[in-house]
Amino acid sequence: MNPEAFNLFGIPIRWYGILISCGMILGILLASYTCKVKNISYDMMMDIILIALPSAIVGARLYYVLFNLDYYGKYPAEIINIRQGGLAIHGGVLFALLAGFLYARKKKIKFLSYADAAAPSIILAQAVGRWGNFFNQEAHGGEVSYEFIKRFPEFIQKGMNINGIYYHPTFLYESLWNLLVSFILIMLIKRVKKDGTIFFTYVGLYSIGRFFIEGLRTDSLMLGPIRVAQLVSITGVVISLLYIYFAYFRKKNIL
């Protein structure tokens, strides 16, 4: 599997960056539709995106580095080298949301309305970006037999054959789950009016899928014996359920 797509003036351009960029572009295009459904300003959404995207990249890298301090403490120059991967989606989403929230406060606009419109785009971008892991041959699961992997298309079989051993294509599982969640959110956004519902549904559904898929991976960020992504996923499900409870089942809506 060649992680390099082509060379541009002697600079290797990697599939990882191309696919993440494609995911972002598709997400921006989808946001033009979701903004219309939510009846909010697409121009304002673009302003938020221009602030959130660089924040997301910085956050994704810092999150990854934080849980790999033993390595990056020895090789600090590698902290800024993201060409071969090393971006953690949870850190990216958290930093992007924080940037978006602060900007929304400054502009005095409804943050949850824009978060709802952005949610289907965010998870669509995640679905596309996961294929960058495929070309880098990273973020895969444990060893599997040929009898198992032969059920997948031949190019998946080849990509998941690393040094003669086949591995779970967990990038594919998460990509397909994310596509399904994006479709669900697009359907819901046309029917649900309460601000925040789409965003917190995204948080809950993504977290459920990530929890189970993370259990198959061999490269999880760890906090002692605990997989960090699973811990964050549990937190995400709890937050999502709390939103549903207070927004729909409590007479006094505190959100």
Side-chain angles (χ1 to χ4, degrees):
M1 181 63 63
N2 186 359
E4 295 181 8
F6 56 89
N7 276 264
L8 184 64
F9 305 115
I11 301 174
I13 306 300
R14 301 177 69 95
W15 283 110
Y16 186 79
I18 291 172
L19 287 161
I20 288 178
S21 299
C22 287
M24 291 176 178
I25 292 169
L26 287 174
I28 290 170
L29 293 174
L30 177 58
S32 67
Y33 167 74
T34 55
C35 284
K36 290 179 182 178
V37 175
K38 290 290 293 183
N39 194 27
I40 58 177
S41 169
Y42 181 62
D43 289 339
M44 184 64 72
M45 175 67 83
M46 288 302 299
D47 289 343
I48 295 173
I49 289 171
L50 289 173
I51 293 171
L53 280 182
S55 301
I57 294 172
V58 171
R61 186 58 172 174
L62 287 178
Y63 190 98
Y64 184 84
V65 169
L66 178 64
F67 291 100
N68 289 279
L69 284 178
D70 289 344
Y71 174 80
Y72 290 105
K74 296 177 182 177
Y75 307 101
E78 288 296 306
I79 291 176
I80 61 173
N81 181 17
I82 63 173
R83 291 170 54 78
Q84 296 183 352
L87 298 175
I89 188 62
H90 284 127
V93 172
L94 287 172
F95 269 61
L97 288 174
L98 177 59
F101 174 76
L102 293 175
Y103 186 78
R105 286 287 299 270
K106 179 180 179 181
K107 293 296 183 178
K108 298 181 180 179
I109 58 176
K110 294 182 178 180
F111 171 71
L112 286 180
S113 291
Y114 283 87
D116 280 348
S121 296
I122 294 171
I123 197 148
L124 175 61
Q126 290 176 235
V128 176
R130 273 299 171 203
W131 285 86
N133 298 132
F134 171 65
F135 284 96
N136 276 357
Q137 292 188 313
E138 62 184 4
H140 56 70
E143 183 178 345
V144 297
S145 67
Y146 176 72
E147 291 301 312
F148 177 85
I149 202 70
K150 74 178 184 180
R151 299 179 175 87
F152 296 88
E154 187 174 352
F155 76 98
I156 298 290
Q157 296 178 36
K158 290 181 179 179
M160 288 295 95
N161 185 341
I162 304 173
N163 298 323
I165 298 174
Y166 292 107
Y167 293 93
H168 265 297
T170 47
F171 80 92
L172 176 63
Y173 307 157
E174 187 169 335
S175 180
L176 292 175
W177 176 254
N178 290 350
L179 283 174
L180 175 61
V181 173
S182 183
F183 176 77
I184 292 171
L185 297 181
I186 292 169
M187 293 298 101
L188 286 177
I189 203 170
K190 295 187 293 186
R191 295 169 171 80
V192 179
K193 302 301 180 184
K194 182 180 284 292
D195 288 342
T197 300
I198 304 302
F199 173 73
F200 284 105
T201 300
Y202 153 69
V203 171
L205 290 179
Y206 171 68
S207 296
I208 290 171
R210 182 62 187 270
F211 178 85
F212 290 104
I213 294 168
E214 189 69 23
L216 298 173
R217 286 177 54 168
T218 59
D219 62 344
S220 298
L221 300 178
M222 305 296 292
L223 185 62
I226 302 172
R227 295 175 188 259
V228 175
Q230 288 188 318
L231 180 62
V232 175
S233 294
I234 292 172
T235 304
V237 172
V238 171
I239 290 172
S240 179
L241 292 175
L242 285 174
Y243 166 81
I244 293 172
Y245 172 70
F246 284 111
Y248 288 93
F249 296 100
R250 282 284 294 265
K251 291 182 179 180
K252 184 178 180 180
N253 182 4
I254 66 170
L255 293 178

